[in-house]
Amino acid sequence: MSPLSLEQAQDFARRGFNRRAFSKLATMITAGATLPFASEHALAQLSMIGPLPPDAVKINANENPLGPCKEAAEAMYNVIQKGGRYLYEETFSYAKTLAEQEGVKPDYVMPFAGSSDPLHRAVLAFTSPTASLVMGDPGYEAGSRAADFIKAKVVKVPLTKTYSHDVKAMATADATAGLIYICNPNNPTGTLTKKSDIEWLVANKPKGSVVLVDEAYIHFSDAQAASDLVAAGKDVIVLRTFSKLYGMAGLRAGAAIARPDLLAKIRPYGAGALPVTGMIGAMTSLKTKGLVEGRRKMNKQVRDDTFAFLDKNKFQFVASDSNCFMLDAKRPAGELVKLMAKEKVFIGRVWPAWPNHARITVGTAEEMQKFQKALLKVMA
Ligand code: PLP
């Protein structure tokens, strides 16, 4: 039996899906949140060589070695005993808190267990065989993999010389664009796209398209969030996750922030209660004073120290405003990844557009000391 409503089936037919793609989508919708697409973790696994030794330095998946803040950890621990219930109220309170902080109405926030899920759903909802995904290159691949899966065209637009999204080129890249993906700061480069550029894109995008602003790493930077564009009723969806600065990648919390009619388009793709640990951890993190500023400062300190070391030793890299950066390996960067792994330092993957660069996550000061030592050895 098809899990689709008549309305959904008609919508798919209108969007140019053929019978095969149509039944594939129907199967995915039945599967709900376990959509078979890539996440940062899965993508990072691809560049790993076997199980990691216990003393490994793991700076390959943009995780936060600090984990959740103390307040969030305690709140999660305390809620576990009540976990026999669905506890929807915790999810509602988390969404309400986020909405208040972002200056949007409560029904403009849809909570999720992380942001991979709404990212994939947005691709399913707004792209199709006749509506493309437009994204920066190099950019975070998860959305393009979801687009490939449903045979939507992916249009990759190189970053500018200053490594920001080339919004002018993106706006005209494909007149039939369904979704334009901006990751700010960008993964993998950690570089920023100016708010005024995002505003320009929103004002000049192809008719009927939606701009998806992925702010997974925004807390590490001074960038201005795009939630005011959502509040102003624009065709914009903002994604947030607690997997990065908040250190909750394994605990799972995130959100899509958008106009209710846009959120309604991603709602049908899956259902179910969200993990109360993630929800209460997210809410507590949002309410913990000084958390973002403190961790941002800590990350910047280690990042600046790492960049000073790279400069001193004449390594080339792209300066970043996030918890990751691209290092020029001066050779196919996959070789560097392997050599560093031999030193038990696991660095991130390589993007086809920049074959000589590898992405490095900014870990703790101690981890980055080990990174420096290993880098000097293998680059000698
Ligand atoms: N968006 C970007 C740019 C990411 O780098 C990631 C993960 O690394 C995600 C979204 C999804 O993360 P999660 O599903 O853990 O929230």
Side-chain angles (χ1 to χ4, degrees):
M1 198 180 78
S2 166
L4 298 180
S5 67
L6 181 62
E7 234 175 35
Q8 284 174 322
Q10 284 168 342
D11 178 48
F12 285 147
R14 188 180 46 75
R15 289 165 57 204
F17 286 105
N18 63 23
R19 270 180 95 107
R20 229 171 118 241
F22 187 98
S23 75
K24 219 168 169 184
L25 266 174
T27 313
M28 290 192 305
I29 290 161
T30 322
T34 56
L35 296 173
F37 305 137
S39 64
E40 178 60 50
H41 175 70
L43 293 161
Q45 294 292 317
L46 295 176
S47 59
M48 258 168 35
I49 311 129
L52 298 190
D55 55 345
V57 172
K58 198 171 171 307
I59 47 174
N60 64 339
N62 288 359
E63 295 158 330
N64 191 333
L66 303 177
C69 68
K70 186 168 68 54
E71 292 83 348
E74 268 167 23
M76 288 187 273
Y77 182 79
N78 292 334
V79 86
I80 287 172
Q81 285 299 326
K82 299 186 204 153
R85 307 217 175 256
Y86 288 113
L87 300 175
Y88 286 108
E89 318 81 66
E90 308 296 349
T91 301
F92 300 146
S93 317
Y94 152 56
K96 190 165 163 275
T97 308
L98 185 59
E100 277 164 14
Q101 293 191 355
E102 296 303 319
V104 297
K105 294 187 195 134
D107 58 344
Y108 279 47
V109 170
M110 190 178 277
F112 286 96
S115 61
S116 296
D117 191 1
L119 169 56
H120 294 148
R121 288 166 191 246
V123 172
L124 297 190
F126 298 105
T127 77
S128 72
T130 56
S132 66
L133 171 71
V134 176
M135 61 180 285
D137 195 20
Y140 182 51
E141 317 92 316
S144 64
R145 295 210 171 194
D148 286 345
F149 195 75
I150 58 165
K151 307 260 181 308
K153 187 163 81 168
V154 178
V155 182
K156 293 187 178 175
V157 178
L159 300 180
T160 66
K161 283 200 186 86
T162 55
Y163 311 107
S164 102
H165 284 81
D166 190 340
V167 292
K168 295 252 153 81
M170 289 176 92
T172 53
D174 184 6
T176 65
L179 192 67
I180 307 182
Y181 177 68
I182 301 278
C183 187
N184 196 32
N186 190 38
N187 180 6
T189 53
T191 48
L192 298 178
T193 297
K194 278 198 240 131
K195 180 72 182 298
S196 54
D197 280 351
I198 297 176
E199 284 165 354
W200 185 91
L201 176 64
V202 172
N204 293 280
K205 67 187 175 55
K207 200 162 167 275
S209 62
V210 169
V211 177
L212 183 63
V213 186
D214 186 337
E215 298 184 340
Y217 301 93
I218 193 152
H219 311 97
F220 290 113
S221 75
D222 295 325
Q224 225 187 316
S227 32
D228 61 327
L229 298 176
V230 172
K234 306 286 182 197
D235 297 330
V236 173
I237 302 175
V238 171
L239 296 183
R240 288 289 175 81
T241 179
F242 287 75
S243 296
K244 306 301 169 186
L245 179 131
Y246 292 109
M248 289 181 38
L251 290 155
R252 313 303 297 146
I257 308 174
R259 261 182 4 234
D261 63 296
L262 294 178
L263 292 179
K265 292 203 166 140
I266 61 176
R267 205 196 312 266
Y269 299 89
L274 293 166
V276 68
T277 38
M279 296 299 107
I280 206 161
M283 185 176 64
T284 311
S285 300
L286 288 176
K287 290 187 168 167
T288 299
K289 295 219 161 47
L291 175 62
V292 173
E293 297 75 9
R295 287 192 168 191
R296 179 188 299 154
K297 205 169 146 201
M298 215 185 291
N299 175 69
K300 184 179 183 315
Q301 179 70 56
V302 180
R303 193 178 67 210
D304 285 351
D305 290 349
T306 306
F307 289 171
F309 155 84
L310 294 172
D311 276 334
K312 186 170 151 230
N313 290 283
K314 309 230 171 347
F315 292 119
Q316 267 156 16
F317 61 96
V318 175
S320 126
D321 281 90
S322 183
N323 72 335
C324 65
F325 64 93
M326 292 294 253
L327 175 69
D328 188 348
K330 305 274 178 204
R331 61 180 121 176
E335 288 173 24
L336 178 68
V337 174
K338 283 195 191 131
L339 289 170
M340 292 291 278
K342 284 201 184 126
E343 302 302 315
K344 300 193 201 167
V345 176
F346 294 84
I347 61 171
R349 56 187 185 278
V350 180
W351 269 253
W354 290 16
N356 285 0
H357 285 76
R359 190 192 65 191
I360 316 288
T361 301
V362 177
T364 60
E366 193 191 341
E367 286 173 329
M368 297 319 278
Q369 286 299 324
K370 291 185 184 164
F371 159 78
Q372 293 181 16
K373 204 168 146 219
L375 190 68
L376 285 177
K377 184 171 167 193
V378 306
M379 296 289 263

